[in-house]
């Protein structure tokens, strides 16, 4: 789960990462930094020499762990995706954007 806002809002980014760090820490303090780094590597765009978005968490093919319940973590993770960004997405949806800002959004999306 990651977010790729066209216009950055520091509060939204902190809220998003805070949500995931809190969730991960309930299982193991090692999960968040590991899966965040994995996301940063996975969503790097070499042609642009930049990361896609502001990061998030990425994992694949998890196996049972001695220090946390993987199945419970994945269940909480999957039910948390919308919870992690809906509050600020709803708030941003109410903001007005100029035509120039809309054009920039299309450029960033490749349209």
């Amino acid at each position: 789960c990651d977010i790729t806002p066209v216009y950055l809002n520091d509060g939204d980014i902190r809220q998003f990462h805070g949500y995931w760090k809190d969730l991960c820490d309930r299982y193991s303090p090692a999960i968040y930094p590991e899966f965040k780094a994995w996301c940063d590597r996975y969503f790097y765009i070499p042609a642009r020499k930049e990361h896609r978005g502001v990061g998030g968490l990425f994992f694949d093919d998890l196996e049972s762990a001695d220090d946390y319940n993987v199945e419970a973590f994945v269940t909480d993770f999957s039910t948390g995706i919308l919870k992690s960004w809906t509050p600020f997405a709803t708030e941003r949806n109410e903001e007005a954007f100029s035509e120039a800002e809309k054009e920039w959004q299309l450029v960033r999306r490749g349209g």
Side-chain angles (χ1 to χ4, degrees):
C1 181
D2 70 315
I3 56 173
T4 309
V6 175
Y7 298 103
L8 303 179
N9 179 296
D10 290 338
D12 294 349
I13 296 166
R14 281 191 300 275
Q15 180 180 345
F16 177 78
H17 283 285
Y19 177 92
W20 290 113
K21 182 171 184 336
D22 290 346
L23 186 140
C24 290
D25 286 352
R26 285 184 281 186
Y27 291 90
S28 168
I31 296 174
Y32 179 79
E34 178 185 350
F35 292 174
K36 183 183 180 316
W38 197 345
C39 183
D40 290 344
R41 288 189 307 272
Y42 186 82
F43 289 116
Y44 181 74
I45 304 168
R48 289 186 176 176
K49 295 185 172 93
E50 67 184 22
H51 290 92
R52 184 185 91 177
V54 298
L57 298 179
F58 182 84
F59 57 86
D60 188 20
D61 197 24
L62 297 180
E63 296 182 13
S64 296
D66 291 335
D67 58 341
Y68 69 96
N69 182 325
V70 171
E71 184 176 351
F73 169 74
V74 171
T75 298
D76 280 352
F77 183 91
S78 64
T79 60
I81 292 172
L82 289 177
K83 295 174 190 175
S84 72
W85 60 264
T86 299
F88 58 81
T90 301
E91 188 176 326
R92 298 295 149 248
N93 190 47
E94 300 298 320
E95 294 179 358
F97 291 95
S98 70
E99 285 304 313
E101 289 170 322
K102 290 178 183 179
E103 287 298 318
W104 178 242
Q105 289 174 349
L106 291 174
V107 168
R108 292 300 294 169
R109 292 179 183 162

